[in-house]
Amino acid sequence: MRWQSGRRSSNVEDRRSSRIPRGVKGGGIGILLLALVGMYFGINPSMIMNVGNAVQKNLPASQSSEPYQATPEEQEQVEFISVVLADTEDVWSQVFKENGKTYQVPNLVLFSGAVQSACGLVQAAMGPFYCPGDRKVYIDLAFYKDLQNQMHSPGDFARAYVVAHEIGHHVQKLLGISDQVDRARQQLSKTDFNKVSVGLELQADCFAGVWANRADRMRGILEPGDIEEAMNAASNIGDDRLQQQSRGYVTPDSFTHGTSAQRVHWFNQGYTTGDINSCNTFELRY
Ligand SMILES: [Zn+2]
């Protein structure tokens, strides 16, 4: 990705120095939920709410406020993220404007280990996520190491896709889509609600694709291999792949983010059309 010359966003909140120790132990149910839903990427907001509350009660009060010592490599990651964030601001401001709406830019919080959010305690093990309560994206840079090593998804555009997916959840919040889904939760069976939350995740992938298309048109960000990097990441973090890695078998009813093939399909759908109206993932014909 051509990022060095890009604008840096001023909406990155660096909270890496207010450390809450890693591996904070929560109550039994909290930990259980964490294990179930903490599978990298945009966990269902209402679940986060529960997990956060459960864990929060057991949080030790100690927090150090020593300045965070970033390595040069981390410093570059921060620069990179703030350029990607700026590109999402520019793209979504334009798309909203085209639709007669105003885009409200979210903050992106960098943390290390764990951090408090309006959705409760965020832990690195949950992966990057969006909290609709404070409209902020939370990322621990350590995730990027996992993405590259454990999830076999190297490349700067794989990292950009992660940010763009989370911003996709913010777009859903602004458009009222995630609130609709939350309301549907009361009326649907667990299996049906699961399908709807998969739709929400796939739509965030599709929005990430729309972003890639638009940002490239605006600023020529794409280099050869970039789209493949994003699609490789989308594929490697599909629920089926992750479940298979962690348990050796897959149970489709428990998917919350979509299969690898679905994630690739919807990212590509957004990327090739550049049109949010092409992101109707809730019909789930694919
Ligand atoms: Zn997500």
Side-chain angles (χ1 to χ4, degrees), residues 255-285:
F255 288 173
T256 53
H257 296 79
T259 63
S260 295
Q262 284 174 321
R263 298 198 74 157
V264 168
H265 170 83
W266 284 106
F267 174 82
N268 203 37
Q269 169 83 3
Y271 171 63
T272 47
T273 63
D275 179 8
I276 52 168
N277 297 310
S278 75
C279 295
N280 187 1
T281 51
F282 294 98
E283 289 179 8
L284 279 186
R285 286 210 198 90

Side-chain angles (χ1 to χ4, degrees), residues 41-42 165-166 169 201:
F41 255 64
H165 172 98
E166 296 309 328
H169 287 310
E201 289 305 322

